[in-house]
Amino acid sequence: DFDLTAPFQTAFTTRDQHEHRHKVRPVQIIAPSSTQPGKFRLNESALNSVLGHSACANKKVVVISVAGAFRKGKSFLLNFFLEYLYNLHKSQQSDTSLEWLTDDCQLHGFHWRAGVKRDTVGIWLWGEPIMIESVTGEMFAVLLMDTQGTFDNNSTYQQCMTVFALSTIVSSVQIYNVVDNIQEDALQHLSLFVEYGRMAMEQPHNFGKPFQQLVFCVRDFKNQEEYEFGENGGTDFLDNVLQLNPEQPEEIKAVRELLREYFEDIQCYLLPHPGYKVAERQSFRGHVKDLRPLFREELKKMVPNLLGPHNLKPKIVNGKTVTCRKMIQYFKEYAASFDG
Ligand code: GDP
Ligand code: MG
């Protein structure tokens, strides 16, 4: 179900922008192979439609990925990223102040859904990069990546591992989305996936850590007596989860050491429950005014922390920043490396 119709436009006028954005869709770039069970194929034309446009080919690319088990609000979260980035772009182009997540706003873009029916496994990209001026004045092309994997049986576990590993390799920020807590098994999955990804990279060892930023996003966090919501509470919470002590069994230690060794930076955000309309109503249509105010406040802090002009980090491979054009090539190489 590839949508190749997403148009690309870089020089929006403010008037066109709203309308333009509604025509863009996520495109699936990694999909299960229809001929070889358990394998994936790369949709090159979809990839080219997102990254191949001459206006962004030479721009440095920032890739924000969201991964984790299904039906945990990943796609929903990405719509906050879209909302922020498009409004930031608009404010930078028109030199006006940034307003976003206002009362009249309706979230849309990545499809979110209730219920248990599974989507296909794979990797999607938002249909165009969003151009953001970084704090140095340089334009970055920001890509949003949605992943879908399941852990429910052996064959889907293998697929999930590929999806997670590939999305970690190509992203500058991997957001690991979990609910309520960072459980030991979630850490174990994560370290397996990351190890699998590192093996596929065959990166020379003199280039430092293989991956850039890992961000745990804990949804529906409940223990706010002990840890406050947001980044501060998240940092304390994560320190506690990742701490090493002599009494820990070897495998518990190994998982923590591996994560510290493979990622340059690890962060954590604790988010409150979004409110019953989001969580329980089939009829929820993304109206911001239906969000629990506390949730909205925390997102208004978290999203600029991750995606603001001060904080955007272009993708680096083997010590070099990567352009959109180069990214197409990396995708092809890395996707091929999982084929064997
Ligand atoms: P994904 O499969 O991880 O991409 O999950 P979706 O984004 O499709 O969301 C699955 C369901 O969870 C939808 O019904 C959302 O409205 C709901 N949802 C989104 N965010 C949250 C959250 O933070 N907490 C709760 N409890 N539900 C959420
Ligand atoms: Mg989803």
Side-chain angles (χ1 to χ4, degrees), residues 101-129:
L101 231 50
T102 48
D103 277 340
D104 58 347
C105 167
Q106 184 177 9
L107 297 155
H108 61 94
F110 288 93
H111 191 63
W112 72 86
R113 64 180 88 187
V116 289
K117 192 187 153 288
R118 240 195 290 133
D119 296 322
T120 38
V121 174
I123 298 180
W124 287 257
L125 285 178
W126 184 244
E128 64 179 11

Side-chain angles (χ1 to χ4, degrees), residues 71 74-75 111 119 146-148:
R71 291 293 174 272
K74 295 186 298 295
S75 302
H111 191 63
D119 296 322
D146 195 6
T147 67
Q148 186 73 54

Side-chain angles (χ1 to χ4, degrees), residues 109-336:
F110 288 93
H111 191 63
W112 72 86
R113 64 180 88 187
V116 289
K117 192 187 153 288
R118 240 195 290 133
D119 296 322
T120 38
V121 174
I123 298 180
W124 287 257
L125 285 178
W126 184 244
E128 64 179 11
I130 303 165
M131 307 307 290
I132 299 292
E133 188 179 335
S134 77
V135 73
T136 61
E138 192 175 7
M139 275 292 182
F140 290 159
V142 184
L143 279 190
L144 296 182
M145 186 181 281
D146 195 6
T147 67
Q148 186 73 54
T150 55
F151 305 61
D152 51 9
N153 64 45
N154 278 339
S155 80
T156 54
Y157 191 83
Q158 174 65 35
Q159 291 185 336
C160 183
M161 186 141 118
T162 304
V163 162
F164 197 101
L166 191 54
S167 66
T168 305
I169 292 175
V170 295
S171 59
S172 36
V173 184
Q174 176 68 292
I175 299 174
Y176 190 35
N177 189 65
V178 292
V179 172
D180 185 44
N181 204 338
I182 302 178
Q183 305 276 10
E184 203 52 43
D185 68 336
L187 284 179
Q188 252 153 34
H189 290 310
L190 176 64
S191 67
L192 264 174
F193 298 162
V194 163
E195 177 67 28
Y196 187 60
R198 196 205 51 83
M199 284 176 351
M201 285 169 81
E202 293 170 31
Q203 187 193 22
H205 280 295
N206 52 344
F207 281 112
K209 302 192 177 189
F211 307 121
Q212 285 167 270
Q213 201 177 4
L214 173 67
V215 178
F216 289 91
C217 184
V218 185
R219 315 292 285 267
D220 297 1
F221 186 73
K222 288 182 197 77
N223 187 8
Q224 84 250 46
E225 264 99 79
E226 222 175 320
Y227 300 98
E228 58 181 304
F229 290 126
E231 190 186 9
N232 290 340
T235 305
D236 293 344
F237 180 73
L238 188 69
D239 282 347
N240 188 269
V241 170
L242 293 187
Q243 72 178 330
L244 293 168
N245 65 57
E247 293 92 67
Q248 281 165 333
E250 224 22 72
E251 72 261 26
I252 302 261
K253 260 190 244 162
V255 163
R256 285 155 178 75
E257 282 163 358
L258 180 139
L259 292 178
R260 298 250 191 239
E261 189 187 322
Y262 283 4
F263 286 93
E264 268 160 25
D265 181 34
I266 309 182
Q267 300 181 4
C268 176
Y269 289 83
L270 304 175
L271 291 181
H273 190 279
Y276 79 98
K277 282 181 180 157
V278 180
E280 284 151 39
R281 286 248 178 117
Q282 295 280 347
S283 60
F284 176 64
R285 289 287 170 270
H287 291 286
V288 162
K289 61 175 165 29
D290 291 339
L291 298 172
R292 185 179 170 203
L294 187 59
F295 183 79
R296 176 163 150 187
E297 262 170 54
E298 287 304 328
L299 277 145
K300 283 201 92 153
K301 290 187 272 181
M302 179 179 98
V303 180
N305 261 339
L306 293 173
L307 307 179
H310 289 83
N311 301 318
L312 287 178
K313 290 178 194 69
K315 177 64 188 165
I316 295 175
V317 176
N318 291 343
K320 288 203 190 83
T321 51
V322 176
T323 59
C324 286
R325 180 182 291 125
K326 199 84 181 145
M327 197 71 213
I328 297 179
Q329 190 192 326
Y330 282 126
F331 256 111
K332 288 184 193 165
E333 283 173 20
Y334 291 138

